[in-house]
Amino acid sequence: MPARVVFDLDGTLVDSIPTMADAGNRMLAELGRPPVSIEECARFVGNGVARLVERLLLCRGGLPGEGLDPAVARFRAIYGADPVTGTHAYPGVGEALARLADTGHWLAVCTQKPNAPALAILRGLRMMPPVTGFTGGDSIDALKPDPRMFRHAADQLPPGVELLVGDSLTDAETARAAGVPFLLHTRGYRTQSVAELPHDAAFDDFAALPELVERMLAA
């Protein structure tokens, strides 16, 4: 039986924090603010660009007088100019995606990241194809954990049993809201322990993912 396997992007398929932290620090520097560390930036991702920028500003002096929107626009411009340099796929991702597709499963990505940089990463790192479905932060008027994001991505694929693969509480809540099993990538950006995150299965090595998907289908 084929599956519709929907993946989160940041912290699940790719480690993009160095690139986002660099863009955030360039934005902060233009405002005369000190930089954040990669570890700090990792705690701020997962709820969309506006929340990321807001958290960066709040931890480095607060919101500027002109408000949040200009800073969000500046971050988008800096990050969008080159979202790929410094971002890399987690080990084994390419092989796992190819094996899932070769087995007959359908693959999509559902990410809070704006569409243009997300697609640039997927294409630049040669994940699209085998990924064929895509929903980004600009695709619909909703963000995870709203299940409409998952549904928008999954419904671009042929029929199959649905699964969500992610790394965070937001992804776990999205899976629960959509009523689908959640597979947790434990090497991502979660701020909770594995035990604190509701999940149906967990893995830290993408080499294990294809067999894990088959086990979930069999169950």
Side-chain angles (χ1 to χ4, degrees):
M1 180 179 298
R4 289 172 159 180
V5 187
V6 179
F7 293 89
D8 173 55
L9 184 59
D10 298 306
T12 301
L13 294 177
V14 303
D15 180 7
S16 55
I17 289 296
T19 314
M20 288 192 284
D22 179 68
N25 284 332
R26 290 172 59 189
M27 180 269 297
L28 289 171
E30 291 177 2
L31 295 171
R33 311 279 182 93
V36 299
S37 67
I38 288 177
E39 291 75 20
E40 285 176 300
C41 188
R43 296 198 298 269
F44 298 155
V45 303
N47 300 106
V49 169
R51 290 289 289 140
L52 167 62
V53 173
E54 181 181 35
R55 289 163 176 163
L56 288 169
L57 292 168
L58 289 176
C59 83
R60 290 297 185 269
L63 297 181
E66 61 270 25
L68 180 62
D69 290 348
V72 171
R74 185 62 185 136
F75 176 90
R76 279 178 172 261
I78 295 169
Y79 184 67
D82 182 9
V84 180
T85 300
T87 292
H88 64 270
Y90 285 102
V93 163
E95 295 84 351
L97 295 180
R99 184 175 166 192
L100 286 167
D102 289 344
T103 309
H105 303 306
W106 308 103
L107 313 179
V109 161
C110 178
T111 176
Q112 317 277 49
K113 190 184 290 296
N115 291 22
L119 289 167
I121 290 169
L122 288 168
R123 291 165 179 157
L125 299 182
R126 299 183 179 180
M127 297 183 197
M128 184 175 260
V131 172
T132 57
F134 173 79
T135 299
D138 305 322
S139 295
I140 62 173
D141 187 23
L143 291 174
K144 296 182 291 185
D146 191 315
R148 287 178 293 166
M149 277 205 83
F150 174 87
R151 181 55 46 211
H152 186 271
D155 285 348
Q156 296 172 46
L157 305 175
V161 177
E162 296 173 344
L163 308 168
L164 176 61
V165 183
D167 71 300
S168 69
L169 178 60
T170 298
D171 295 321
E173 292 176 340
T174 304
R176 180 172 57 187
V180 300
F182 178 56
L183 282 60
L184 174 65
H185 177 225
T186 60
R187 295 179 62 186
Y189 305 150
R190 60 187 168 80
T191 56
Q192 298 82 12
S193 70
V194 171
E196 291 176 307
L197 285 179
H199 59 278
D200 297 277
F203 67 99
D204 64 2
D205 183 349
F206 268 88
L209 181 61
E211 182 178 347
L212 191 58
V213 168
E214 297 302 330
R215 282 166 37 199
M216 295 296 296
L217 294 176

